[in-house]
Amino acid sequence: MNSKIIGRIGIYAFLAVSTAFFLIPVYIMVTTSLKGMPEIREGNIFALPLDPNFSAWFKAWSSACIGMACDGIRGGFGNSLKIMVPSVILSVALSSLNGYALALWNVRRAELMLGLLMAGAFIPYQVLLYPLVIMTRTLGIYGTLPGIIAIHVLFGLPVLTLIFRNFYASLPTEIMKAARVDGAGFMQIYWRIMLPMSPSILVVAVILQVTGIWNDYLLGLIFAGRDNLPMTAQLNNLVNSTFGEKEYNVNMAATILTAATPLLVYLASGRYFVRGITSGAVKG
Amino acid sequence: MLSFRAKLPALVTITLTTVAAIGIMLVAISWTGVISFTKTQLIPRYEFVGFTQYVRLFDTERFHVAFSNLFIYGGCFISITLAFGFLLAIMIDQRIRAESLFRTIFLYPLSMSFIVTGLAWQWFMNPTLGLQKFVRDLGFADFSFDWLINPDKAIYAIVIAAVWQSSGLVMAILLAGLRGIDRDIWKATAIDGIPAWRTYLSIVLPMLRPMVMTCVVLLAMAVVKAYDLVVALTRGGPGNASDLPAKFVIDLTFERANIGMASAAAVMLLMTTIAVVAPYVAYSFHKLRR
């Protein structure tokens, strides 16, 4: 009996230490963002703020200087939205249609194409980037909003297609047969039968793309152009290249603001979020 | 049997999406391959010079640092994350209270950008602001935690931040695996007097092999792609001490205008990736066909 109690204490001790490890960075960021600079200089990083206030948050949002512009991080928030919304809609729409076509229409070489898509999901971006720069430049969309959206759609397509293909392939084949006997065509079956059956997989795909595109840094930096830099890129510019004294409270507030969107998506959708992250590789 | 007419919309869809995407990627990979054999620096110059760029690459000190860091970082990150994630999954599987709260806490870093993760840890590990200052202020003047500015330790600072970000993923995947295991195993091993840790290591772990494989592949891909985290946490420094191949390639392409050599390095990175994931892709493809 005693050893069992010791065992339980051990389990909870391990969980408590782990919880501290996972929460430390966020604790530091939240408390520091609520302090003033003199308090940060003199006090210690784990101390609670003596006089908590949100002035650093307002400065981070609307008046902190990134390079020459002193408009805070709100412009980056808008850019990230402008990049994310069309990219998510386009990539999910195209991939679901694509997965449906590959799964249910007996297309020749479908297996080969799936294999290549799977390989595509694993290719390091670095091998593709420079040719993609030349291609988008030739098309006249390098450094523009349509350019970065096209790039996100391209990189999202392999994993999303696999997710949708696996979902549609798991449906009973009788559904397709019955619809075909009734004379329904490709788009009709997709709109009236398949889409209404796939809300959960759509949610998984949307969440995967929303968090993935919001958190992207590299692609946005290269393809979005100066005027459309996403929030992550502006955050990094703010924190890692400010001259003079570092305003830690403003920097940390800006970091929390950047993390807020995917964090809220995660908290609102835990189960779907995990499914999205793992499904590309687990089921493939 | 479907007629060609009926199939046509499906074929058009697939051509415009799958075939186009695969086509673009294959063209881009070949293009990078071709450039790696040319003199290209800032703009493409298709004057072939054989393996010159590769020779130059292997003579570059920074390339060796980046690639040896890839294996140090990959080895530490994957093994620690797997072990820690597996432990978290086991602990959570002990019918504990507030299970979903713990799970939420262990998983939330996964939703964050690597930029955010890098910055968040940058402050904790900053010697003049974070843990080192805190402990010294407590009176331990000799305490030192300077990994961020120590060339020999900087790469391990990145490991810590990466473990923080990814352990929850391993926990989630392995926990799903643990929940799928027949509970009778525990009765059987209890009768035989086998201790719990031994059961986990010798019986449960082998049963979870497919899930562990999945974790390893996901983590390995994160290693090969690791760029943002390095940029946000150490910027590859001090010097080039915590450089990784992904960052090496990007810097050479977009900052140093040394695109021929960058392409050669990208090809090396691709080869490394293929060596790591080819067995896994072949295995899943085989499963898909059945």
Side-chain angles (χ1 to χ4, degrees):
Chain A
M1 194 61 208
N2 253 338
S3 74
K4 204 172 175 191
I5 291 171
I6 292 170
R8 295 310 279 180
I9 292 173
I11 288 169
Y12 283 105
F14 180 85
L15 289 172
V17 172
S18 304
T19 301
F21 171 66
F22 282 105
L23 290 181
I24 276 177
V26 166
Y27 171 80
I28 289 175
M29 288 197 290
V30 172
T31 52
T32 308
S33 72
L34 298 173
K35 295 174 186 172
M37 273 314 287
E39 192 183 340
I40 294 172
R41 267 192 300 270
E42 284 147 31
N44 81 62
I45 197 164
F46 295 107
L48 284 167
L50 297 171
D51 172 29
N53 68 79
F54 279 91
S55 58
W57 288 58
F58 289 113
K59 185 168 182 192
W61 178 249
S62 58
S63 68
C65 293
I66 302 170
M68 304 298 276
C70 291
D71 301 319
I73 199 126
R74 63 184 165 180
F77 182 84
N79 289 344
S80 280
L81 271 186
K82 277 188 277 182
I83 294 170
M84 183 193 79
V85 173
S87 303
V88 171
I89 294 174
L90 265 176
S91 62
V92 171
L94 287 176
S95 305
S96 65
L97 203 57
N98 189 17
Y100 154 70
L102 281 170
L104 299 176
W105 284 84
N106 289 322
V107 177
R108 264 197 283 173
R109 305 245 184 283
E111 287 167 357
L112 175 69
M113 287 191 268
L114 286 168
L116 287 172
L117 278 181
M118 204 185 290
F122 287 119
I123 296 170
Y125 291 167
Q126 279 71 13
V127 194
L128 308 170
L129 285 183
Y130 182 64
L132 285 176
V133 168
I134 304 181
M135 288 184 210
T136 48
R137 196 176 273 154
T138 311
L139 292 172
I141 54 172
Y142 177 69
T144 67
L145 215 45
I148 179 67
I149 292 168
I151 291 292
H152 275 308
V153 172
L154 175 70
F155 282 116
L157 199 71
V159 171
L160 290 186
T161 298
L162 289 173
I163 292 176
F164 280 109
R165 182 266 171 197
N166 289 339
F167 176 76
Y168 291 123
S170 71
L171 298 178
T173 48
E174 284 73 23
I175 299 175
M176 262 303 274
K177 282 185 193 145
R180 293 280 308 140
V181 169
D182 288 346
F186 179 78
M187 281 314 282
Q188 228 178 342
I189 297 177
Y190 176 71
W191 271 117
R192 319 253 313 250
I193 301 172
M194 293 305 159
L195 266 193
M197 289 177 76
S198 25
S200 68
I201 204 74
L202 281 171
V203 171
V204 168
V206 167
I207 290 170
L208 183 66
Q209 284 298 83
V210 166
T211 50
I213 294 173
W214 192 274
N215 288 339
D216 161 67
Y217 168 77
L218 175 62
L219 297 178
L221 190 66
I222 293 174
F223 290 97
R226 265 177 190 286
D227 301 332
N228 306 310
L229 277 187
M231 203 172 186
T232 48
Q234 299 213 357
L235 172 71
N236 190 53
N237 287 348
L238 170 72
V239 177
N240 270 338
S241 60
T242 39
F243 298 100
E245 192 194 34
K246 293 215 176 215
E247 290 186 283
Y248 291 117
N249 49 0
V250 175
N251 290 348
M252 295 195 198
T255 308
I256 298 170
L257 288 168
T258 307
T261 303
L263 197 57
L264 289 177
V265 170
Y266 162 67
L267 291 176
S269 69
R271 196 163 53 86
Y272 291 105
F273 175 80
V274 180
R275 232 175 107 190
I277 295 277
T278 55
S279 55
V282 175
K283 292 196 194 156
Chain B
M1 194 57 210
L2 289 164
S3 70
F4 179 75
R5 250 185 82 89
K7 258 192 198 182
L8 193 61
L11 296 175
V12 172
T13 304
I14 292 169
T15 309
L16 291 178
T17 52
T18 309
V19 177
I22 292 173
I24 292 172
M25 289 189 180
L26 286 179
V27 168
I29 292 173
S30 328
W31 203 337
T32 300
V34 169
I35 290 175
S36 75
F37 292 106
T38 68
K39 273 184 125 167
T40 302
Q41 290 200 308
L42 180 59
I43 47 165
R45 262 178 74 193
Y46 298 102
E47 208 175 304
F48 289 92
V49 292
F51 283 92
T52 309
Q53 298 286 10
Y54 291 88
V55 174
R56 281 179 62 213
L57 183 68
F58 285 109
D59 281 340
T60 305
E61 171 68 22
R62 195 182 152 189
F63 170 76
H64 291 283
V65 173
F67 258 80
S68 52
N69 273 345
L70 180 69
F71 291 100
I72 298 174
Y73 171 69
C76 293
F77 165 64
I78 293 176
S79 52
I80 296 173
T81 308
L82 274 181
F84 185 43
F86 186 41
L87 265 177
L88 288 174
I90 292 174
M91 295 301 171
I92 289 223
D93 199 32
Q94 306 300 317
R95 295 160 209 263
I96 55 163
R97 282 165 208 267
E99 180 192 310
S100 72
L101 177 68
F102 282 116
R103 267 177 23 192
T104 306
I105 292 172
F106 298 159
L107 254 173
Y108 86 93
L110 205 62
S111 72
M112 293 201 174
S113 161
F114 278 113
I115 293 291
V116 169
T117 300
L119 298 178
W121 281 97
Q122 190 196 62
W123 292 308
F124 177 74
M125 297 196 230
N126 179 335
T128 53
L129 177 77
L131 184 67
Q132 176 174 312
K133 176 174 181 289
F134 173 73
V135 177
R136 284 191 182 177
D137 287 351
L138 288 180
F140 302 93
D142 295 334
F143 179 81
S144 160
F145 181 66
D146 61 351
W147 289 13
L148 273 193
I149 54 166
N150 182 337
D152 297 329
K153 299 278 177 59
I155 190 72
Y156 300 103
I158 300 176
V159 171
I160 294 181
V163 166
W164 178 80
Q165 170 122 3
S166 304
S167 296
L169 176 68
V170 174
M171 180 220 48
I173 293 175
L174 294 187
L175 183 60
L178 286 176
R179 296 270 150 98
I181 284 178
D182 192 345
R183 292 268 161 197
D184 287 347
I185 282 180
W186 291 104
K187 285 182 202 147
T189 53
I191 291 168
D192 288 344
I194 300 168
W197 65 268
R198 192 65 212 273
T199 309
Y200 273 115
L201 219 54
S202 309
I203 299 173
V204 174
L205 198 54
M207 292 171 85
L208 296 178
R209 186 152 52 194
M211 285 95 180
V212 175
M213 272 272 282
T214 300
C215 292
V216 170
V217 170
L218 287 174
L219 298 178
M221 291 322 299
V223 169
V224 175
K225 288 180 176 166
Y227 170 78
D228 319 17
L229 188 60
V230 184
V231 168
L233 190 57
T234 66
R235 276 179 281 176
N240 294 322
S242 59
D243 205 4
L244 284 172
K247 183 166 184 304
F248 177 80
V249 174
I250 301 285
D251 286 359
L252 247 58
T253 308
F254 294 97
E255 286 170 22
R256 302 283 168 85
N258 201 343
I259 290 166
M261 199 161 103
S263 301
V267 171
M268 297 305 296
L269 188 60
L270 180 65
M271 304 282 203
T272 313
T273 312
I274 291 174
V276 173
V277 299
Y280 177 78
V281 171
Y283 170 74
S284 344
F285 186 53
H286 173 71
K287 245 184 19 185
L288 197 83
R289 292 185 73 127
R290 277 189 297 145

